[in-house]
Amino acid sequence: MEKLTLKQKITENLKCNYCTDIKNASVHQLHDAVAKTVMGEIADQWQHDTQSRDEHRQACYLSAEFLMGRAIYNNLYCSGLLSEVTDILNEAGINIAEFEEIEDAALGNGGLGRLAACFLDSAATLKVPLTGYGIRYRYGLFKQYIHNGFQGEKADAWIGQGDAWSVRKDADSVTVSFGDSAVLAVPYDTPIIGYKAASIGTLRLWQAESAEGFNFTEFDKQEYEKASEDIIESEAISNVLYPNDNYQKGLRLRLKQQYFFVSASIQDLFRKYKKRYGSDMSHFAESFAIQLNDTHPTVAIPEIIRILMFNEGLTFEAAFEIASKTCSYTNHTVLSEALEKWDEKLFKSVIPVIYEIVKLINRKLITFLKSIGQNDKQINEKLIIDGGRIHMARMAIFGGRFVNGVAALHTQILKDEALKEWCEIFPERFQNKTNGITPRRWLGLCNPELGSLITEKIGDGWQADLDRLTDLKKFVDDKSTIARFIEIKNTKKKQLSDYILKTEGVFIDPGFVFDVQVKRLHEYKRQLLNAFSIMDFYFQIKEKKLPDLTPTAFIFGAKAAPAYDRAKGIIKYINCVADLMNNDPDTKDKLKVIFLTNYNVSYAEKIIPAADISEQISTAGLEASGTGNMKLMANGAVTLGTWDGANVEITEKAGWENEYIFGARVEEIAKIRPTYKPKEKIYYTNERVKRVVNTLVDGTFNDGDTGLFGNLFNSLINGASWHKPDNYFLLTDLEGYADTKLRALYDYKNREIFAKKCWMNICNCGFFSSDRTIRQYAEELWKL
Ligand code: 26Q
């Protein structure tokens, strides 16, 4: 589009909607006018692409989370309007960076929700017909603040700022029925703009509203509270995202959320289907492939069966056949506390009809297992309804078509351990689909400086064909190219340092190594191990043992689930380490530690391009994949990590010499676990480990009498009623980790050699494009 026309349209928008002009508009008004202009530009294509998707086989991604982040820059970038709009604003004296005032759409916790967002981006770019279905939470993931080193939470009222990118579709509203009530599900559609607007997909999010509305009968009786009761109860369903990552607590409202968005979505598919085929249900399974993002939307299986039986008159057997051909399940974790099991009584009281269908599915499972000759023990370990609980993963495996893990190692663990007994009876159902990330947001958009260098060297086109980055290999020995890369890395570090100074009031020297660990806070991700290693360096410096340590900034960013006390204790501990390090004259010129506030997608876009070292240090076997590891690789950071999740494939692609791998592997952990005695075998015998662990309790730090540090110490040394000591093997890995990190920091002294390692990571990151992942889903699972 011509810049002049574009400017006219934005101006027109400001005039009609806000009675103002570019020079006088507020940032929000400008943002809305630009968004509306883009929406207008893509409207015809969006409508056309939506229609053509409905005329062919299509896939649906059912997910309780979509962690979209900020839309404005990405949408301008993908529709090719970013530089024009930047210019138009500049001419009016406005910096486009002012749009950073607009909040992220944080309708997700972490990896699983962000993966869903990357998938939508890739599908739109590849013209893969995929629609996202989820919940339009009024409050997304909480905003984090830090007070005295402790995490606090505030509500994320993102819609309060307006939602310029969505369209409410009242005509497509449906009713969702629970045992004791019914609510209205109203869809809001957001366009997903593929790169260079290759195609425009849709994210459809459901909002819960009262089906009955305001009750005038009660109002007339002067019962004012009762008059609004249904509104309040209904709206509660889509009110707030549960802030747990990899942890399931069987709460009633959470189950209501799951059935709410799943029933609305499945009803939506039947509406579309009937427009095409009428009441002949024989083409349903060939019309749709439904992907279940973890077990959270597993009630889709009984919901399809319910509609086919009660609305369309099919038998249970016929209905089961259709549901099980349509749905596939992605597993994202092997942590038992994250596997969904619902209390049977709760499940029955919330969704009684679905419960009856689950009983039929369970009965069919038993009949099937008997028919293939399984004994009572083999049957009991697979029951969907077992010991008063409903096992969602078991229903998703038996009632679906495929099961996939999210990295090679993870899928292997599913097949050999976690879901072994299922893999034995349904080996053909198990597949691997290694995760990926969209190179548009995570390279092109967040690192335009590196993007330009890449384009200069190998031409345009890598944004939608990331494997082309292998063409960069020939520059690895070209001194001037590597010098340019180092310069760009320095620029990104300087930009991040400026931003941190502005927002956190802390100065990070851009000349330091940037060692980055950004991800949700969880014991298995071992942020505490990282903090311990820094304390180890501290003690060594005090003993004058590390005279030539490369000055390093240790940068943390993480949110802890509000009820996860240990995670919150770890945040406080990191902040204590930061205080000690940053103020001690012996260390402050060598070590800087900072815990960044409110890590989210937009913050990630600033941190990741500036990183030198990517910390991926989970206990082997526990991080299903990780996706931050891929984003950091694409931006030229080396991985300091365990042999876990996608780190394995990253190392295989980039080359061993370009990563720093340490620690016990899955098999070793399995071997030592049964007789693991960290207190006797490590703590008492290893002074280096002991003095670091002791900082939790020896008065080095103060947890404000909360007992949090004592609890962390006990979890490591004595264990708790529900777990053995040092459940995540920090003591096992500490020395190897600290020494490997020192080796990486030492290698950094030769900046050119280190930069070559970084460069090889960029060259070899092509496999981790979510375009590759989506192509595999489309071909191997969805058969599109
Ligand atoms: C379940 C029930 C009730 C309430 C909350 C939940 C819940 C919510 C979120 C359970 C799990 C999650 C999130 C899990 C998650 O993000 N897993 C990550 O998925 C990534 C994408 O596949 C992987 O890269 C990570 O390894 C994995 O931890």
Side-chain angles (χ1 to χ4, degrees):
M1 205 192 335
E2 288 289 313
K3 205 164 97 186
L4 191 63
T5 345
L6 190 58
K7 185 172 176 181
Q8 280 166 354
K9 288 186 177 171
I10 296 169
T11 307
E12 189 66 19
N13 242 294
L14 285 168
K15 191 168 73 183
C16 296
N17 294 313
Y18 299 110
C19 199
T20 188
D21 54 32
I22 295 192
K23 290 220 154 72
N24 292 295
S26 71
V27 172
H28 272 90
Q29 289 171 335
L30 268 176
H31 171 270
D32 268 27
V34 172
K36 290 273 148 47
T37 304
V38 175
M39 291 285 269
E41 285 313 294
I42 60 164
D44 285 334
Q45 197 196 342
W46 191 15
Q47 208 183 340
H48 169 269
D49 290 353
T50 305
Q51 217 162 53
S52 85
R53 269 193 296 277
D54 289 347
E55 284 160 8
H56 303 94
R57 176 170 172 79
Q58 58 176 307
C60 309
Y61 203 75
L62 265 53
S63 178
E65 306 190 5
F66 288 91
L67 220 186
M68 303 300 284
R70 203 175 272 134
I72 181 87
Y73 301 125
N74 184 70
N75 286 352
L76 289 171
Y77 177 76
C78 287
S79 53
L81 300 172
L82 185 53
S83 60
E84 282 85 346
V85 171
T86 307
D87 288 351
I88 291 168
L89 295 176
N90 261 339
E91 285 160 17
I94 303 152
N95 186 342
I96 196 168
E98 289 187 30
F99 286 160
E100 289 184 17
E101 238 180 70
I102 310 302
E103 297 288 343
D104 280 36
L107 308 187
N109 275 287
L112 165 148
R114 183 54 231 176
L115 184 73
C118 284
F119 280 3
L120 294 181
D121 177 281
S122 282
T125 297
L126 296 172
K127 304 188 195 183
V128 165
L130 176 70
T131 302
Y133 279 104
I135 300 174
R136 188 171 192 259
Y137 300 106
R138 187 143 89 102
Y139 298 101
L141 185 63
F142 66 86
K143 289 203 217 172
Q144 177 191 58
Y145 65 89
I146 303 292
H147 182 68
N148 287 334
F150 291 101
Q151 168 177 300
E153 301 92 18
K154 280 186 296 197
D156 166 48
W158 69 285
I159 298 175
Q161 314 214 346
D163 178 13
W165 298 102
S166 81
V167 181
R168 182 180 166 109
K169 295 279 175 76
D170 280 291
D172 288 349
S173 297
V174 295
T175 304
V176 174
S177 298
F178 296 94
D180 56 359
S181 59
V183 300
L184 194 66
V186 183
Y188 283 73
D189 288 356
T190 295
I192 307 295
I193 306 174
Y195 185 60
K196 294 197 173 162
S199 84
I200 306 205
T202 300
L203 170 60
R204 172 161 278 196
L205 299 179
W206 300 97
Q207 174 166 293
E209 298 184 9
S210 166
E212 295 170 2
F214 190 74
N215 187 331
F216 282 98
T217 318
E218 295 294 347
F219 181 77
D220 289 344
K221 289 190 278 182
Q222 301 194 337
E223 294 279 1
Y224 301 119
E225 278 186 41
K226 272 195 190 161
S228 320
E229 236 171 40
D230 193 64
I231 297 179
I232 291 166
E233 254 183 60
S234 304
E235 291 179 359
I237 293 178
S238 58
N239 201 43
V240 63
L241 167 75
Y242 277 83
N244 299 329
D245 179 287
N246 274 302
Y247 180 75
Q248 192 237 350
K249 209 166 155 205
L251 299 173
R252 187 182 189 89
L253 187 62
R254 168 76 185 189
L255 181 59
K256 279 197 146 183
Q257 288 186 337
Q258 294 184 351
Y259 184 65
F260 165 75
F261 92 88
V262 167
S263 175
S265 308
I266 300 298
Q267 290 186 57
D268 202 45
L269 299 190
F270 273 100
R271 179 183 55 79
K272 288 182 183 181
Y273 177 82
K274 291 182 105 169
K275 232 162 95 183
R276 220 174 131 199
Y277 290 107
S279 57
D280 170 12
M281 290 294 133
S282 64
H283 300 285
F284 191 84
E286 74 201 37
S287 301
F288 301 106
I290 298 173
Q291 195 64 35
L292 308 175
N293 198 19
D294 215 295
T295 54
H296 316 155
T298 302
V299 286
I301 294 166
E303 176 68 359
I304 292 170
I305 297 174
R306 179 188 72 82
I307 292 173
L308 289 173
M309 286 175 73
F310 299 153
N311 298 2
E312 307 301 332
L314 269 65
T315 62
F316 169 74
E317 287 300 328
F320 181 91
E321 170 84 6
I322 291 173
S324 64
K325 275 190 183 154
T326 312
C327 299
S328 290
Y329 152 54
T330 303
N331 175 289
H332 296 266
T333 188
V334 296
L335 297 182
S336 58
E337 65 270 29
L339 294 180
E340 280 192 295
K341 299 172 208 93
W342 288 99
D343 179 83
E344 189 178 350
K345 288 209 184 77
L346 175 81
F347 195 95
K348 182 178 177 182
S349 84
V350 173
I351 36 178
V353 179
I354 294 299
Y355 172 70
E356 291 305 318
I357 295 166
V358 173
K359 283 209 292 200
L360 296 177
I361 299 173
N362 192 45
R363 218 165 286 157
K364 184 178 169 68
L365 169 66
I366 295 171
T367 310
F368 166 75
L369 293 174
K370 282 187 177 150
S371 79
I372 59 168
Q374 298 228 314
N375 62 33
D376 284 355
K377 181 181 166 287
Q378 291 171 307
I379 292 173
N380 285 334
E381 68 190 13
K382 295 191 193 68
L383 293 175
I384 294 169
I385 306 177
D386 180 26
R389 295 193 302 178
I390 305 193
H391 289 246
M392 303 308 270
R394 295 176 186 174
M395 177 150 71
I397 300 168
F398 180 62
R401 185 155 179 210
F402 297 113
V403 182
N404 76 282
V406 289
L409 179 75
H410 168 61
T411 301
Q412 208 54 50
I413 291 172
L414 290 180
K415 290 203 224 178
D416 299 345
E417 318 274 342
L419 302 174
K420 181 164 180 270
E421 58 288 352
W422 290 97
C423 191
E424 276 161 9
I425 50 180
F426 299 127
E428 72 294 341
R429 291 191 188 183
F430 286 77
Q431 291 203 20
N432 177 248
K433 297 286 167 281
T434 299
N435 283 166
I437 55 161
T438 170
R440 271 74 64 184
R441 184 178 291 261
W442 297 112
L443 187 51
L445 187 60
C446 74
N447 201 343
E449 296 86 351
L450 182 55
S452 299
L453 175 63
I454 294 171
T455 302
E456 186 188 312
K457 295 293 168 194
I458 64 170
D460 232 358
W462 52 269
Q463 296 92 336
D465 181 6
L466 205 62
D467 286 325
R468 289 210 201 160
L469 296 190
T470 53
D471 293 348
L472 292 168
K473 281 183 190 167
K474 58 175 177 276
F475 299 100
V476 71
D477 293 317
D478 178 50
K479 278 188 186 296
S480 81
T481 304
I482 296 302
R484 290 273 302 284
F485 167 69
I486 293 173
E487 210 176 286
I488 289 166
K489 188 58 93 178
N490 287 341
T491 303
K492 301 312 280 183
K493 289 164 80 165
K494 174 75 168 58
Q495 288 171 3
L496 177 63
S497 168
D498 290 346
Y499 183 79
I500 292 174
L501 184 62
K502 194 176 81 190
T503 56
E504 318 264 356
V506 177
F507 175 69
I508 309 281
D509 186 339
F512 278 29
V513 182
F514 281 18
D515 175 300
V516 168
Q517 187 174 21
V518 287
K519 50 185 75 252
R520 279 300 287 257
L521 216 135
H522 202 294
E523 286 165 277
Y524 85 81
K525 294 178 189 281
R526 302 201 294 189
Q527 282 94 349
L528 184 58
L529 178 64
N530 187 347
F532 279 166
S533 76
I534 300 166
M535 283 309 296
D536 175 66
F537 301 163
Y538 174 81
F539 287 123
Q540 291 200 53
I541 289 172
K542 285 285 180 189
E543 294 174 335
K544 313 248 185 289
K545 274 192 190 150
L546 291 176
D548 56 355
L549 181 71
T550 322
T552 304
F554 299 95
I555 301 171
F556 292 85
K559 285 178 183 173
Y564 191 173
D565 288 339
R566 292 223 183 121
K568 288 187 146 181
I570 293 168
I571 289 179
K572 173 64 178 167
Y573 182 80
I574 294 167
N575 280 313
C576 286
V577 173
D579 276 346
L580 177 71
M581 240 30 94
N582 302 346
N583 295 309
D584 189 318
D586 289 341
T587 51
K588 67 180 200 214
D589 301 327
K590 292 181 171 165
L591 301 173
K592 186 97 190 175
V593 178
I594 183 165
F595 190 95
L596 303 176
T597 309
N598 199 41
Y599 174 66
N600 61 8
V601 171
S602 291
Y603 217 149
E605 291 168 18
K606 296 181 191 302
I607 301 164
I608 288 169
D612 297 303
I613 296 178
S614 158
E615 298 263 1
Q616 309 298 338
I617 59 175
S618 51
T619 313
L622 298 186
E623 189 70 275
S625 162
T627 45
N629 46 3
M630 303 169 185
K631 296 164 196 168
L632 284 151
M633 178 194 199
N635 284 276
V638 299
T639 299
L640 169 55
T642 46
W643 200 241
D644 198 18
N647 300 352
V648 172
E649 289 150 274
I650 286 174
T651 307
E652 285 167 355
K653 305 275 177 204
W656 275 91
E657 66 284 11
N658 301 315
E659 316 291 6
Y660 295 86
I661 303 300
F662 69 91
R665 295 195 175 196
V666 180
E667 316 80 65
E668 296 170 58
I669 300 255
K671 216 158 105 194
I672 55 182
R673 189 190 295 277
T675 59
Y676 186 46
K677 295 216 162 55
K679 180 161 65 176
E680 294 77 2
K681 296 279 167 57
I682 305 173
Y683 178 76
Y684 282 148
T685 63
N686 186 325
E687 282 302 320
R688 186 180 176 194
V689 171
K690 188 174 176 185
R691 69 177 174 184
V692 163
V693 174
N694 276 351
T695 61
L696 283 167
V697 290
D698 64 6
T700 307
F701 301 124
N702 178 348
D703 66 5
D705 293 326
T706 55
L708 289 169
F709 292 173
N711 288 344
L712 287 172
F713 180 86
N714 271 324
S715 76
L716 295 171
I717 300 304
N718 303 313
S721 59
W722 68 95
H723 71 80
K724 294 181 178 177
D726 193 17
N727 218 10
Y728 299 100
F729 300 89
L730 279 70
L731 275 59
T732 304
D733 282 346
L734 180 55
E735 284 193 296
Y737 170 53
D739 291 340
T740 308
K741 180 143 58 178
L742 287 174
R743 179 161 59 86
L745 294 177
Y746 187 81
D747 287 354
Y748 188 91
K749 289 195 181 296
N750 188 331
R751 187 81 195 267
E752 194 187 326
I753 293 184
F754 194 87
K756 286 182 181 185
K757 295 176 192 284
C758 297
W759 188 258
M760 291 308 285
N761 272 278
I762 299 169
C763 296
N764 291 297
C765 76
F767 180 77
F768 302 102
S769 166
S770 48
D771 296 349
R772 185 268 313 153
T773 315
I774 279 297
R775 239 182 243 118
Q776 291 183 325
Y777 274 81
E779 283 167 19
E780 296 158 24
L781 299 178
W782 305 334
K783 320 277 182 188
L784 292 174

